[in-house]
Short mmCIF file of all heavy atoms in Angstrom, two decimals:
data_model
loop_
_atom_site.label_atom_id
_atom_site.label_comp_id
_atom_site.label_asym_id
_atom_site.label_seq_id
_atom_site.Cartn_x
_atom_site.Cartn_y
_atom_site.Cartn_z
N LYS B 42 68.66 17.68 165.17
CA LYS B 42 68.37 19.01 164.65
C LYS B 42 69.18 20.07 165.40
O LYS B 42 69.26 20.05 166.63
CB LYS B 42 66.88 19.29 164.83
CG LYS B 42 66.38 20.56 164.20
CD LYS B 42 64.88 20.67 164.42
CE LYS B 42 64.36 21.97 163.85
NZ LYS B 42 62.90 22.09 164.10
N THR B 43 69.78 20.99 164.66
CA THR B 43 70.51 22.08 165.29
C THR B 43 69.52 23.14 165.74
O THR B 43 68.74 23.64 164.94
CB THR B 43 71.51 22.70 164.29
OG1 THR B 43 72.35 21.67 163.78
CG2 THR B 43 72.34 23.77 164.95
N LYS B 44 69.57 23.45 167.03
CA LYS B 44 68.63 24.44 167.56
C LYS B 44 69.16 25.85 167.39
O LYS B 44 70.37 26.08 167.43
CB LYS B 44 68.34 24.15 169.03
CG LYS B 44 67.61 22.84 169.26
CD LYS B 44 67.28 22.64 170.72
CE LYS B 44 66.53 21.33 170.93
NZ LYS B 44 66.19 21.11 172.35
N LYS B 45 68.23 26.78 167.22
CA LYS B 45 68.61 28.18 167.05
C LYS B 45 68.87 28.82 168.40
O LYS B 45 68.37 28.36 169.43
CB LYS B 45 67.47 28.94 166.35
CG LYS B 45 67.15 28.42 164.96
CD LYS B 45 65.89 29.08 164.41
CE LYS B 45 65.45 28.43 163.12
NZ LYS B 45 64.09 28.85 162.71
N THR B 46 69.65 29.89 168.37
CA THR B 46 69.94 30.64 169.60
C THR B 46 68.65 31.29 170.11
O THR B 46 67.91 31.88 169.33
CB THR B 46 70.99 31.73 169.32
OG1 THR B 46 72.14 31.10 168.76
CG2 THR B 46 71.37 32.47 170.58
N TYR B 47 68.44 31.16 171.40
CA TYR B 47 67.21 31.70 171.99
C TYR B 47 67.41 33.13 172.48
O TYR B 47 68.43 33.45 173.09
CB TYR B 47 66.77 30.83 173.17
CG TYR B 47 65.49 31.30 173.82
CD1 TYR B 47 64.26 31.01 173.27
CD2 TYR B 47 65.53 32.06 175.00
CE1 TYR B 47 63.08 31.45 173.85
CE2 TYR B 47 64.35 32.50 175.60
CZ TYR B 47 63.14 32.18 175.02
OH TYR B 47 61.98 32.62 175.61
N GLU B 48 66.43 33.96 172.19
CA GLU B 48 66.39 35.29 172.81
C GLU B 48 64.96 35.52 173.27
O GLU B 48 64.01 35.02 172.66
CB GLU B 48 66.85 36.38 171.84
CG GLU B 48 66.10 36.41 170.52
CD GLU B 48 66.63 37.49 169.57
OE1 GLU B 48 66.86 38.61 170.02
OE2 GLU B 48 66.79 37.19 168.38
N LYS B 49 64.81 36.26 174.33
CA LYS B 49 63.49 36.51 174.90
C LYS B 49 62.58 37.15 173.85
O LYS B 49 63.01 38.09 173.17
CB LYS B 49 63.66 37.45 176.10
CG LYS B 49 62.43 37.61 176.97
CD LYS B 49 62.76 38.56 178.12
CE LYS B 49 61.52 38.89 178.93
NZ LYS B 49 61.08 37.78 179.78
N PRO B 50 61.35 36.64 173.69
CA PRO B 50 60.44 37.23 172.70
C PRO B 50 60.24 38.72 172.97
O PRO B 50 59.99 39.12 174.11
CB PRO B 50 59.12 36.46 172.92
CG PRO B 50 59.53 35.19 173.56
CD PRO B 50 60.72 35.52 174.40
N ASP B 51 60.37 39.51 171.91
CA ASP B 51 60.24 40.96 172.08
C ASP B 51 59.73 41.58 170.79
O ASP B 51 59.79 40.96 169.73
CB ASP B 51 61.59 41.56 172.45
CG ASP B 51 61.45 42.96 173.05
OD1 ASP B 51 60.31 43.35 173.39
OD2 ASP B 51 62.47 43.65 173.17
N MET B 52 59.22 42.79 170.90
CA MET B 52 58.76 43.49 169.70
C MET B 52 59.01 44.98 169.81
O MET B 52 59.11 45.53 170.90
CB MET B 52 57.27 43.23 169.47
CG MET B 52 56.35 43.76 170.53
SD MET B 52 54.63 43.46 170.08
CE MET B 52 53.80 43.72 171.63
N THR B 53 59.15 45.59 168.64
CA THR B 53 59.31 47.03 168.55
C THR B 53 58.04 47.59 167.94
O THR B 53 57.57 47.08 166.93
CB THR B 53 60.50 47.38 167.62
OG1 THR B 53 61.63 46.63 168.05
CG2 THR B 53 60.82 48.85 167.67
N VAL B 54 57.48 48.59 168.59
CA VAL B 54 56.22 49.18 168.10
C VAL B 54 56.48 50.58 167.58
O VAL B 54 57.12 51.39 168.26
CB VAL B 54 55.17 49.23 169.23
CG1 VAL B 54 53.85 49.80 168.71
CG2 VAL B 54 54.94 47.84 169.80
N MET B 55 56.04 50.83 166.35
CA MET B 55 56.20 52.16 165.74
C MET B 55 54.84 52.73 165.39
O MET B 55 53.98 52.01 164.88
CB MET B 55 57.05 52.06 164.48
CG MET B 55 58.49 51.66 164.74
SD MET B 55 59.27 50.94 163.29
CE MET B 55 58.72 49.25 163.41
#
Side-chain angles (χ1 to χ4, degrees):
Chain B
K42 187 178 178 182
T43 305
K44 294 183 179 180
K45 299 172 188 168
T46 304
Y47 181 80
E48 55 182 315
K49 191 179 173 74
D51 197 12
M52 64 177 164
T53 309
V54 182
M55 293 158 277

